[in-house]
Amino acid sequence: MASQQQSDAIKGAKVLMVGAGGIGCELLKTLALSGFQDIHIIDMDTIEVSNLNRQFLFRQSHVGQSKAKVARDAVLKFRPHISITAHHANIKSSEFDVDFFQKFDVVLNGLDNLDARRHVNRIRLAAGVPLVESGTTGFLGQVAVHVKDRTECYECYPKPAPKSYPVCTITSTPSKFVHCIVWAKDLLFAKLFGDKNQENDLNVRSSDGASSSEHTADIFERRNDEDIDCYGRRIYDHVFGYNIELALSNDETWKNRTRPKPIYSSDVLSDNQQNGNLDKNCSSSDLVLVSAMATLGLKNPQDVWNLAENSKVLLEAVKLFFLKRQKEIGSLTFDKDDQLAVEFVTAAANIRAASFGIPLHSLFEAKGIAGNIVHAVATTNAVVAGLIVIEAFKLLNEDLVNVRMTFCNEHPKRKMLLMPVEPFEPNETCFVCSKTPLTLEVNAPHTKFRDFIEKIVREKLGMSLPTVMQGNFLLYEDGDDLDEDERRNYEANLEKVLSKLPSPVTGGTSMLVGDLNQKLSCEINIKQREEFDEEKEPDGMVLIGWLQAPTDTENKASVQNGESTSGTGANQAMPSEIAEAKEAEVNAASKKRNFSELSNSSFSHPSSGKDKSSKNKEELRSISFENQDRPASASKIF
């Protein structure tokens, strides 16, 4: 039972909750029922039908409304006397700056993307506010506590890159169902219904034009007055029949592989076979009703369709896109919540899988793969939300000795469903929470400044509004307050190679890279390198100094994208990463110095003046790890 002092700490706490989705709904409910009385929620998303099976504060009537606002209203119905402030906004908005974060005693994350998590981590570090991070992936979950100068920050170790597949495997030699999904989603769907001006690796033109004039033009262009059924079958025969036969002509490719089987529509469907009954009066604006499954009478998304059924779904989907969604063709991108798009991709992937001898999958399974989804489990979300609140209790009562990072296990080896371990100390090579410079190996006379900005500063370092200085010279700045002359100058710099910039960047020099919005900067030392391995180092640049992975005794696991329901796919962590690392976490905990050595001194929010001026080297340097110096007693923490 909580003491009066602990109870007062909870009641008087001001909590910032970021994310009102699967974890967020459970977290808000648990906070309200646990005695918290001043809660702010930030979420930019609106409610979708697919959310309703696990985000229990929402109902069918709420679809299309703000998650943050609906969640607030739902909780106030059973806790009407507490204060809940809902912000339907992007956490990266300028209104949520360091001053805003400093108003709170603790930040609780229930996010589903890496970019937002990085941003929250950096702002809360500058504000000196502790963070409780969380994530779930199916039955797996994780809660971690990040306290400035006491534990590692969220970015102390780089997150694993998303899984990608070689183009040649996708287009020519698939061996897994995921290869077929990527082909159907990123190549076939994009070519048929997406931007016609975008490059596409799908083989759409024959190299054997002499044999058939039909294949000398773009096969995907619908001919004038061409019947939609004939058009669909022509596409089908080309990609699943003709293209496979073309691939089989290269005997060398199949010397050590199973040869695929060409499939033509006439092999599967009779020439006069009709597809489903299409309701001509169906509103094209109601995308829920535009479904190939519905018109064909296929009801269970967990059924595995046979080849004939997949063929019917594919042809029906093509017909529906052209008859009901004609205006969207040319601008469509795959969306896991677009039923017709999922049906098309499932059917196309299954037909291709049948050709290459790969087992077929249900629409339910295919949707999960196509949307990078590990289907959410409501119970896991609830457990993780409860763990977040427990860690928040400890932080608010300054009980840092007992804070823990906790993993939820799917197949516990030690009869432990929850596995708590002591937090790790800060990584001294982390460019976010330490002062250690980074090193960039690059061929300065050949590398464009634009590539450095996009691939290193934005992609790897996660800076959204970067500022780059070399010596006393400002080479680049991003922001809405730039005038036209400044923009032109910076655009001109982007097209130059590093060694030809107004202040040349060459081996032995260094750059100061910062993001004024995130109150973060780091120094990058340049090391000249002449050659790079195109396969292993495709960017032609290698960033050194930020440890890529911990040692075996410090193995780390991270569900970095939270509830894995986002179709963006960027930087998603797979469940196996947790499964492989969780036992190492327990071993590592016993080899670290005991967290109880940490003094129970309170952590206060440092003052941080918000200087709005820019284009100033002194300002950029002044925010370089401002208020992030390691305390003299840091060596005694662990």
Side-chain angles (χ1 to χ4, degrees):
M1 185 172 180
S3 67
Q4 186 61 44
Q5 182 180 358
Q6 293 171 330
S7 179
D8 291 344
I10 293 168
K11 289 180 179 179
K14 194 177 182 71
V15 177
L16 176 60
M17 208 187 93
V18 189
I23 295 174
C25 280
E26 294 296 328
L27 178 57
L28 181 60
K29 176 194 69 177
T30 307
L31 287 171
L33 293 173
S34 300
F36 289 86
Q37 298 191 2
D38 191 352
I39 307 167
H40 282 241
I41 320 165
I42 303 175
D43 196 304
M44 65 181 292
D45 287 344
T46 55
I47 298 162
E48 299 176 358
V49 173
S50 61
N51 301 148
L52 303 180
N53 70 339
R54 64 192 179 281
Q55 298 175 20
F56 301 130
L57 297 181
F58 309 143
R59 298 293 182 266
Q60 181 75 41
S61 60
H62 296 141
V63 171
Q65 298 181 38
S66 163
K67 284 188 175 182
K69 293 180 178 179
V70 172
R72 170 192 178 274
D73 294 343
V75 170
L76 287 178
K77 288 181 180 178
F78 58 84
R79 278 292 184 270
H81 302 301
I82 68 175
S83 173
I84 303 178
T85 305
H87 305 268
H88 180 64
N90 190 334
I91 185 60
K92 297 181 70 174
S93 171
S94 59
E95 65 182 298
F96 307 123
D97 56 12
V98 172
D99 286 349
F100 176 83
F101 271 69
Q102 285 181 328
K103 298 174 184 177
F104 299 94
D105 297 292
V106 65
V107 178
L108 312 177
N109 265 2
L111 288 163
D112 66 353
N113 71 89
L114 178 63
D115 187 44
R117 290 175 176 217
R118 282 173 166 175
H119 183 79
V120 170
N121 180 57
R122 297 172 187 189
I123 296 291
R124 70 92 196 171
L125 275 171
V129 183
L131 168 68
V132 183
E133 182 58 76
S134 69
T136 65
T137 303
F139 291 102
L140 304 174
Q142 177 183 342
V143 172
V145 176
H146 302 293
V147 181
K148 180 180 174 181
D149 297 327
R150 303 295 202 270
T151 72
E152 63 177 6
C153 79
Y154 176 71
E155 298 177 81
C156 268
Y157 294 95
K159 306 306 174 188
K163 180 68 176 176
S164 59
Y165 304 96
V167 172
C168 58
T169 299
I170 299 303
T171 58
S172 304
T173 56
S175 58
K176 300 176 181 178
F177 188 70
V178 66
H179 299 157
C180 301
I181 285 286
V182 173
W183 176 88
K185 180 180 73 167
D186 294 347
L187 299 182
L188 184 59
F189 182 87
K191 188 63 184 177
L192 273 177
F193 309 117
D195 186 352
K196 303 297 183 184
N197 297 320
Q198 292 294 318
E199 293 185 6
N200 192 307
D201 290 307
L202 191 64
N203 177 24
V204 297
R205 295 177 187 273
S206 170
S207 59
D208 186 18
S211 64
S212 173
S213 60
E214 176 183 339
H215 298 290
T216 61
D218 189 343
I219 195 71
F220 291 98
E221 289 295 327
R222 187 181 175 191
R223 299 161 187 166
N224 292 335
D225 301 324
E226 183 176 17
D227 178 78
I228 188 61
D229 291 315
C230 294
Y231 170 72
R233 288 206 176 206
R234 183 162 59 81
I235 298 298
Y236 185 112
D237 292 342
H238 181 81
V239 296
F240 302 115
Y242 176 81
N243 276 358
I244 299 300
E245 286 191 0
L246 199 63
L248 286 170
S249 64
N250 186 349
D251 292 332
E252 190 68 26
T253 301
W254 311 107
K255 186 174 292 184
N256 298 311
R257 292 186 176 94
T258 302
R259 294 171 68 88
K261 174 186 175 182
I263 301 174
Y264 288 90
S265 59
S266 58
D267 298 334
V268 182
L269 305 171
S270 62
D271 291 338
N272 60 357
Q273 185 167 350
Q274 295 291 318
N275 253 7
N277 295 319
L278 179 62
D279 180 4
K280 301 292 185 181
N281 297 318
C282 174
S283 170
S284 61
S285 63
D286 190 348
L287 301 187
V288 176
L289 297 179
V290 182
S291 164
M293 286 181 65
T295 59
L296 292 169
L298 300 171
K299 297 179 180 180
N300 189 351
Q302 300 201 39
D303 286 342
V304 178
W305 304 326
N306 59 33
L307 182 57
E309 288 170 328
N310 277 291
S311 300
K312 291 179 184 178
V313 170
L314 179 79
L315 295 174
E316 189 68 19
V318 171
K319 180 191 294 186
L320 286 169
F321 270 118
F322 276 90
L323 294 182
K324 296 295 182 181
R325 299 174 62 177
Q326 176 73 44
K327 293 180 180 178
E328 298 175 73
I329 293 177
S331 61
L332 279 168
T333 56
F334 178 81
D335 183 346
K336 65 180 175 59
D337 293 314
D338 183 337
Q339 175 68 16
L340 190 59
V342 172
E343 291 170 348
F344 175 90
V345 167
T346 300
N350 272 329
I351 299 168
R352 186 166 174 84
S355 177
F356 283 85
I358 299 169
L360 309 190
H361 286 58
S362 69
L363 181 135
F364 179 81
E365 296 169 318
K367 180 178 179 180
I369 298 170
N372 294 316
I373 298 169
V374 177
H375 292 282
V377 176
T379 306
T380 312
N381 289 337
V383 170
V384 164
L387 291 169
I388 294 171
V389 174
I390 289 172
E391 297 306 323
F393 286 166
K394 298 173 187 176
L395 290 171
L396 293 170
N397 285 284
E398 300 178 8
D399 184 15
L400 300 187
V401 172
N402 291 311
V403 297
R404 292 292 181 268
M405 174 164 57
T406 304
F407 295 98
C408 301
N409 302 328
E410 181 177 6
H411 303 295
K413 296 180 181 178
R414 305 173 63 178
K415 297 183 179 180
M416 295 172 63
L417 287 173
L418 298 180
M419 189 170 62
V421 298
E422 293 186 19
F424 289 88
E425 62 185 336
N427 176 7
E428 294 182 356
T429 69
C430 176
F431 79 96
V432 177
C433 67
S434 82
K435 292 184 175 181
T436 307
L438 300 173
T439 297
L440 181 70
E441 293 184 347
V442 63
N443 191 332
H446 291 86
T447 301
K448 280 191 174 184
F449 189 42
R450 181 184 297 278
D451 290 335
F452 168 75
I453 294 292
E454 296 300 325
K455 296 177 181 178
I456 299 297
V457 178
R458 294 189 189 275
E459 184 177 328
K460 292 192 180 299
L461 301 185
M463 296 185 179
S464 53
L465 294 174
T467 300
V468 181
M469 297 186 69
Q470 203 283 314
N472 293 317
F473 202 95
L474 187 62
L475 296 174
Y476 183 78
E477 185 177 12
D478 196 359
D480 296 331
D481 58 342
L482 301 178
D483 59 40
E484 286 303 314
D485 288 339
E486 288 174 322
R487 289 189 185 280
R488 280 195 293 269
N489 288 337
Y490 295 144
E491 282 294 325
N493 284 345
L494 290 175
E495 299 307 317
K496 297 175 182 177
V497 296
L498 296 176
S499 62
K500 297 297 183 181
L501 288 167
S503 181
V505 174
T506 57
T509 64
S510 65
M511 287 186 283
L512 188 66
V513 178
D515 190 317
L516 296 176
N517 189 37
Q518 297 175 345
K519 297 295 181 184
L520 171 71
S521 73
C522 68
E523 185 177 359
I524 300 180
N525 297 321
I526 304 301
K527 181 178 179 180
Q528 174 64 20
R529 180 172 161 185
E530 300 298 325
E531 296 181 355
F532 293 85
D533 186 321
E534 291 185 4
E535 183 176 342
K536 296 180 180 179
E537 304 161 331
D539 295 338
M541 294 176 280
V542 176
L543 196 63
I544 299 173
W546 187 24
L547 289 185
Q548 295 301 303
T551 62
D552 288 342
T553 58
E554 294 176 332
N555 229 330
K556 302 192 57 53
S558 174
V559 188
Q560 67 190 56
N561 274 344
E563 185 192 11
S564 196
T565 58
S566 172
T568 59
N571 300 302
Q572 295 238 359
M574 292 292 101
S576 59
E577 294 166 10
I578 301 177
E580 292 169 1
K582 59 193 176 189
E583 286 298 319
E585 289 281 7
V586 172
N587 296 333
S590 64
K591 298 186 179 183
K592 293 182 304 187
R593 285 149 72 174
N594 199 304
F595 192 73
S596 61
E597 294 178 21
L598 173 66
S599 72
N600 278 322
S601 60
S602 62
F603 47 90
S604 59
H605 296 182
S607 60
S608 176
K610 188 172 64 171
D611 185 356
K612 291 293 186 182
S613 62
S614 60
K615 312 179 185 72
N616 185 299
K617 180 180 179 181
E618 285 68 29
E619 181 199 12
L620 192 57
R621 288 197 181 279
S622 73
I623 66 167
S624 179
F625 309 106
E626 181 183 5
N627 297 315
Q628 295 179 27
D629 294 331
R630 187 183 298 275
S633 61
S635 61
K636 298 180 181 179
I637 291 175
F638 294 90

